[in-house]
Structures are given as C-alpha cells and as structure tokens.
Amino acid sequence: MKDVVGDAERETAVRLEEHRAELTGYCYRMLGSLFEAEDAVQETMIRAWRNFDRFEERSSLRTWVYRIATNACLDALAAGKRRARPMDLSGPTSGATSPGAPVDAALWIEPCPGRPASATGDPAEAAAAGETVRLAFVAALQYLPPKQRATLLLRDVLAFSAREVADLHGSTVASVNSALQRARATLAARREAADETAAPPSDAVQRMLAERYAAAFAAFDMAELSMLLHVDATLSLPPYALWMRGVSDIQAWLTGPAIGCRGSRLIPTVANDSPAFGQYRPSAGGTGYEPWALQVIEVSGDRITGINAFRDTERLFPLFGLPAHIGPDSGSDTSAPNTSTSLATPTG
C-alpha cells in the first residue's frame, strides 16, 4: 500500500512540475519580479499538492494550476503596489546629476535571465514570445488592473480560450472578452505613446550591436557609443530613480558621475530576450574587477534605444550565473551573449 501511495505522490509531483517553467514566466509577467514569481509558483505548487484530491478533471490540469497561480499572484498584488521603471515615475534628469539615494528595490521592474523557448522551434513563435518578456512590455503590463493583466496574459500569451479564462476567473465569456479588449487598448496606447511600435530587429542585428557596444564601453569610446545610440536613447539605474534621455546626457553621465566605469570589463548574457552584460568595475583595492551592474540593452531598428543598469548585483549576478569577481588579467568578453533559456512558452 505504501508503494502505491508513493507512486501516486510521485506521479502527482511530476505532473505538477511539468508546468513550473511556464508558470514562472506567467507569474513574472504578472508581478514584474522573478524572485516574487518563484515565490508565487512555489505557493502554487504547495496549494496544488495539498488540494490535488479535489481536482476532478472537469478542466485540464493546466487550467487548474493556472487558476491557483492566478489567485497566488492576485494575493501578492493585493497591497496595490505597482512595480515600474524609473521613466514611468518621473521626467529625465541631466547627465551631470548625482543619482541620490537608492529607492526601495520592491518598486522596480526586475530583469529575468534568458529568453523564452519555442515549443515548436518556430522562429516567428520564439520572436513573439520574446516580445512578451521585454522590459518595456512587462512594465506596461503593470498599468493594467491585476485581473485585466491576468486575462490578457492568459488569452494573448498563453493561448487559453475565452471559456477557459471565464471558468478560471469564475466569470462569463462576455466579461473576459470585455476585459481583454480594454487591456489591449491600454497596452496599444502605451506603446504608441512610448514610440515602441517598430518591429524588433533580427538576432544578427542585436548581436552585432551588442558586440560593438561591449567593445565601445570597455574602451570608453564615447564617439563609438554615440554612433550606436538612438538620438533619444535612455539610461536608467534602478534602484535609483534617476534616468536620462539623449546621447549628450548619457555621455555627460558616463564622463562625469560615472567616470569610475572607465576600464570596466563586460561579461555577456541574455535578459528578457535582450542582450545583457555583467559589468565589473576596477576593484578599489587595485586587484581585479568587482560587480557593478547588470546592463540590459534595448534595441530598435539598428540603434540602441535603452541602457538599463540594474545595480542590485548581490541578488542578480548569481541569478544570471555571473561570477562574484574577475581577475586582473580578464579582458572584456564581447562574444555573442549566452542564449540559455529560463522561461517557457505556452504548451497549448
């Protein structure tokens, strides 16, 4: 009897774990933080395990666990605190401005490692999935009321039917369709206002820009950087509220308050389906290089449109598999970023 129970428990655990990666991607989009997403998924697994005997298979297991995950996210969002990017909260500042004091880390959208995997291997499907984890998209989602946010993700990203979402929410198909229409309109308006309607560049273009950027940053070549940046490019530095717009202010920042970045070393990685780098500044002790920021680079067309320098290296570098220190003889690695996958796309 014990073996039968053990086998049943193992089978239940395996069935639930099959959904973990996809659930993590969903919860990350809902909450704007991979750390909070992993907590929400773990809570989902615990609730599902404890209540598995109540699963009557009137819906699919996937729908059932997403109902639990949605409720876990709604519980986490009940305090009404919305994560954002610095540019969502204030206007740009001069590049000569001191960053001031850091703001509560729980305020900011946080990056996630890697890029979504395509369930079918279709490049178009992979590109569409990548768009749904970009920093700008995740930030825009936070402007939607939580249930609208969930409805849009379940319908447009995870391909649930309107009836499945209605059953999941305990509502009607008409109310789901109405919420979806409002959510789509809000996102479209925000994309238009932010001028984010251009088609994303190819992987080859992103790789080329990332390699040129890494080489220019390591050499602190302001002329080359200015050629790579869009005229209205932005630079932000969470957890600081400071951000700036335009090539001249970005250069003023790098050659002024951020002059200590001269001589940095960069290790490539991937965040939110975008090129990213672990930045290491020369150690104050004079030996090797210390973690300074995780830079996530946004690209549109053939220019870099955003540099997001996340300063919480103590938490983020281990998440991205970046070393805690690099030696004095390490040069900048400007090869193509690691494209390892951390989030799954819909399985249908």
Side-chain angles (χ1 to χ4, degrees), residues 23 115 172 210 214 224 281 305 317:
L23 284 169
R115 57 183 27 155
T172 65
E224 174 69 1
R281 293 210 324 185
T305 57
F317 274 34

Side-chain angles (χ1 to χ4, degrees), residues 198-214:
S202 67
D203 284 349
V205 170
Q206 288 198 75
R207 188 178 304 111
M208 177 272 293
L209 286 172
E211 291 174 356
R212 287 183 61 187
Y213 172 82

Side-chain angles (χ1 to χ4, degrees), residues 5 31 70 84 86 100 104 112 174 185 188 219 222 224 232 240 247 250 263 271 319 323 329 335 337:
V5 173
L31 302 173
T70 298
D104 182 3
C112 69
M222 295 299 123
E224 174 69 1
D232 289 324
Y240 299 96
V247 174
I250 292 175
L319 184 66
D329 297 327
S335 58

